[in-house]
PDB file of all heavy atoms in Angstrom:
ATOM      1  N   THR A1174       2.772  13.197   3.455  1.00  0.00           N
ATOM      2  CA  THR A1174       3.039  13.320   4.889  1.00  0.00           C
ATOM      3  C   THR A1174       3.520  12.000   5.472  1.00  0.00           C
ATOM      4  O   THR A1174       4.458  11.961   6.286  1.00  0.00           O
ATOM      5  CB  THR A1174       1.781  13.815   5.620  1.00  0.00           C
ATOM      6  OG1 THR A1174       1.454  15.121   5.115  1.00  0.00           O
ATOM      7  CG2 THR A1174       1.999  13.891   7.118  1.00  0.00           C
ATOM      8  N   GLU A1175       2.901  10.896   5.073  1.00  0.00           N
ATOM      9  CA  GLU A1175       3.323   9.583   5.569  1.00  0.00           C
ATOM     10  C   GLU A1175       4.753   9.270   5.142  1.00  0.00           C
ATOM     11  O   GLU A1175       5.560   8.767   5.950  1.00  0.00           O
ATOM     12  CB  GLU A1175       2.356   8.512   5.066  1.00  0.00           C
ATOM     13  CG  GLU A1175       0.974   8.588   5.722  1.00  0.00           C
ATOM     14  CD  GLU A1175      -0.103   7.844   4.957  1.00  0.00           C
ATOM     15  OE1 GLU A1175       0.210   7.250   3.896  1.00  0.00           O
ATOM     16  OE2 GLU A1175      -1.268   7.881   5.398  1.00  0.00           O
ATOM     17  N   LYS A1176       5.098   9.575   3.905  1.00  0.00           N
ATOM     18  CA  LYS A1176       6.463   9.309   3.429  1.00  0.00           C
ATOM     19  C   LYS A1176       7.485  10.175   4.165  1.00  0.00           C
ATOM     20  O   LYS A1176       8.582   9.726   4.497  1.00  0.00           O
ATOM     21  CB  LYS A1176       6.535   9.546   1.914  1.00  0.00           C
ATOM     22  CG  LYS A1176       5.765   8.503   1.106  1.00  0.00           C
ATOM     23  CD  LYS A1176       5.709   8.837  -0.375  1.00  0.00           C
ATOM     24  CE  LYS A1176       7.000   8.508  -1.091  1.00  0.00           C
ATOM     25  NZ  LYS A1176       6.834   8.641  -2.566  1.00  0.00           N
ATOM     26  N   ASN A1177       7.118  11.424   4.436  1.00  0.00           N
ATOM     27  CA  ASN A1177       8.019  12.317   5.162  1.00  0.00           C
ATOM     28  C   ASN A1177       8.246  11.795   6.575  1.00  0.00           C
ATOM     29  O   ASN A1177       9.386  11.734   7.064  1.00  0.00           O
ATOM     30  CB  ASN A1177       7.441  13.737   5.187  1.00  0.00           C
ATOM     31  CG  ASN A1177       8.432  14.766   5.688  1.00  0.00           C
ATOM     32  OD1 ASN A1177       9.050  14.589   6.727  1.00  0.00           O
ATOM     33  ND2 ASN A1177       8.575  15.864   4.965  1.00  0.00           N
ATOM     34  N   MET A1178       7.160  11.397   7.228  1.00  0.00           N
ATOM     35  CA  MET A1178       7.289  10.892   8.601  1.00  0.00           C
ATOM     36  C   MET A1178       8.097   9.604   8.647  1.00  0.00           C
ATOM     37  O   MET A1178       8.932   9.408   9.550  1.00  0.00           O
ATOM     38  CB  MET A1178       5.904  10.683   9.199  1.00  0.00           C
ATOM     39  CG  MET A1178       5.203  11.974   9.573  1.00  0.00           C
ATOM     40  SD  MET A1178       3.677  11.657  10.476  1.00  0.00           S
ATOM     41  CE  MET A1178       3.540  13.184  11.422  1.00  0.00           C
ATOM     42  N   ALA A1179       7.869   8.721   7.686  1.00  0.00           N
ATOM     43  CA  ALA A1179       8.637   7.477   7.640  1.00  0.00           C
ATOM     44  C   ALA A1179      10.124   7.773   7.497  1.00  0.00           C
ATOM     45  O   ALA A1179      10.966   7.171   8.183  1.00  0.00           O
ATOM     46  CB  ALA A1179       8.147   6.602   6.488  1.00  0.00           C
ATOM     47  N   ARG A1180      10.450   8.700   6.622  1.00  0.00           N
ATOM     48  CA  ARG A1180      11.852   9.072   6.409  1.00  0.00           C
ATOM     49  C   ARG A1180      12.503   9.552   7.695  1.00  0.00           C
ATOM     50  O   ARG A1180      13.618   9.137   8.048  1.00  0.00           O
ATOM     51  CB  ARG A1180      11.938  10.167   5.337  1.00  0.00           C
ATOM     52  CG  ARG A1180      13.348  10.723   5.146  1.00  0.00           C
ATOM     53  CD  ARG A1180      13.368  11.886   4.180  1.00  0.00           C
ATOM     54  NE  ARG A1180      13.049  11.457   2.821  1.00  0.00           N
ATOM     55  CZ  ARG A1180      12.911  12.283   1.781  1.00  0.00           C
ATOM     56  NH1 ARG A1180      13.054  13.590   1.964  1.00  0.00           N
ATOM     57  NH2 ARG A1180      12.643  11.826   0.594  1.00  0.00           N
ATOM     58  N   HIS A1181      11.821  10.449   8.407  1.00  0.00           N
ATOM     59  CA  HIS A1181      12.433  11.043   9.593  1.00  0.00           C
ATOM     60  C   HIS A1181      12.355  10.149  10.822  1.00  0.00           C
ATOM     61  O   HIS A1181      13.022  10.411  11.826  1.00  0.00           O
ATOM     62  CB  HIS A1181      11.809  12.413   9.860  1.00  0.00           C
ATOM     63  CG  HIS A1181      12.256  13.458   8.870  1.00  0.00           C
ATOM     64  ND1 HIS A1181      11.613  13.680   7.682  1.00  0.00           N
ATOM     65  CD2 HIS A1181      13.327  14.289   8.878  1.00  0.00           C
ATOM     66  CE1 HIS A1181      12.246  14.617   7.000  1.00  0.00           C
ATOM     67  NE2 HIS A1181      13.298  15.007   7.699  1.00  0.00           N
ATOM     68  N   ALA A1182      11.552   9.093  10.717  1.00  0.00           N
ATOM     69  CA  ALA A1182      11.522   8.098  11.794  1.00  0.00           C
ATOM     70  C   ALA A1182      12.446   6.924  11.501  1.00  0.00           C
ATOM     71  O   ALA A1182      12.605   6.031  12.342  1.00  0.00           O
ATOM     72  CB  ALA A1182      10.096   7.587  11.986  1.00  0.00           C
ATOM     73  N   GLY A1183      13.053   6.910  10.297  1.00  0.00           N
ATOM     74  CA  GLY A1183      13.931   5.804   9.924  1.00  0.00           C
ATOM     75  C   GLY A1183      13.174   4.514   9.658  1.00  0.00           C
ATOM     76  O   GLY A1183      13.716   3.417   9.876  1.00  0.00           O
ATOM     77  N   LEU A1184      11.939   4.641   9.163  1.00  0.00           N
ATOM     78  CA  LEU A1184      11.098   3.477   8.892  1.00  0.00           C
ATOM     79  C   LEU A1184      10.792   3.373   7.405  1.00  0.00           C
ATOM     80  O   LEU A1184      10.808   4.375   6.687  1.00  0.00           O
ATOM     81  CB  LEU A1184       9.775   3.582   9.672  1.00  0.00           C
ATOM     82  CG  LEU A1184       9.896   3.681  11.200  1.00  0.00           C
ATOM     83  CD1 LEU A1184       8.536   3.979  11.813  1.00  0.00           C
ATOM     84  CD2 LEU A1184      10.481   2.398  11.782  1.00  0.00           C
ATOM     85  N   ASP A1185      10.515   2.176   6.956  1.00  0.00           N
ATOM     86  CA  ASP A1185      10.146   1.981   5.555  1.00  0.00           C
ATOM     87  C   ASP A1185       8.701   2.394   5.293  1.00  0.00           C
ATOM     88  O   ASP A1185       8.383   2.938   4.229  1.00  0.00           O
ATOM     89  CB  ASP A1185      10.324   0.515   5.151  1.00  0.00           C
ATOM     90  CG  ASP A1185      11.785   0.078   5.154  1.00  0.00           C
ATOM     91  OD1 ASP A1185      12.642   0.935   4.867  1.00  0.00           O
ATOM     92  OD2 ASP A1185      12.053  -1.105   5.454  1.00  0.00           O
ATOM     93  N   VAL A1186       7.847   2.143   6.257  1.00  0.00           N
ATOM     94  CA  VAL A1186       6.413   2.402   6.093  1.00  0.00           C
ATOM     95  C   VAL A1186       5.836   2.889   7.416  1.00  0.00           C
ATOM     96  O   VAL A1186       6.238   2.425   8.483  1.00  0.00           O
ATOM     97  CB  VAL A1186       5.659   1.119   5.652  1.00  0.00           C
ATOM     98  CG1 VAL A1186       4.156   1.387   5.541  1.00  0.00           C
ATOM     99  CG2 VAL A1186       6.190   0.595   4.329  1.00  0.00           C
ATOM    100  N   VAL A1187       4.904   3.843   7.341  1.00  0.00           N
ATOM    101  CA  VAL A1187       4.095   4.209   8.509  1.00  0.00           C
ATOM    102  C   VAL A1187       2.633   4.206   8.088  1.00  0.00           C
ATOM    103  O   VAL A1187       2.312   4.330   6.899  1.00  0.00           O
ATOM    104  CB  VAL A1187       4.470   5.593   9.085  1.00  0.00           C
ATOM    105  CG1 VAL A1187       5.909   5.604   9.569  1.00  0.00           C
ATOM    106  CG2 VAL A1187       4.229   6.703   8.070  1.00  0.00           C
ATOM    107  N   LYS A1188       1.747   4.080   9.076  1.00  0.00           N
ATOM    108  CA  LYS A1188       0.321   4.069   8.809  1.00  0.00           C
ATOM    109  C   LYS A1188      -0.386   5.034   9.753  1.00  0.00           C
ATOM    110  O   LYS A1188       0.082   5.268  10.880  1.00  0.00           O
ATOM    111  CB  LYS A1188      -0.241   2.658   9.005  1.00  0.00           C
ATOM    112  CG  LYS A1188       0.301   1.635   8.033  1.00  0.00           C
ATOM    113  CD  LYS A1188      -0.303   0.262   8.277  1.00  0.00           C
ATOM    114  CE  LYS A1188       0.239  -0.763   7.284  1.00  0.00           C
ATOM    115  NZ  LYS A1188      -0.350  -2.124   7.523  1.00  0.00           N
ATOM    116  N   PRO A1189      -1.518   5.620   9.314  1.00  0.00           N
ATOM    117  CA  PRO A1189      -2.269   6.526  10.188  1.00  0.00           C
ATOM    118  C   PRO A1189      -2.590   5.891  11.534  1.00  0.00           C
ATOM    119  O   PRO A1189      -2.945   4.707  11.617  1.00  0.00           O
ATOM    120  CB  PRO A1189      -3.543   6.793   9.380  1.00  0.00           C
ATOM    121  CG  PRO A1189      -3.130   6.636   7.959  1.00  0.00           C
ATOM    122  CD  PRO A1189      -2.128   5.512   7.969  1.00  0.00           C
TER     123      PRO A1189
END
Side-chain angles (χ1 to χ4, degrees):
T1174 298
E1175 290 162 0
K1176 291 173 78 171
N1177 191 310
M1178 286 188 154
R1180 174 185 292 175
H1181 287 88
L1184 301 172
D1185 293 328
V1186 178
V1187 298
K1188 296 180 179 180

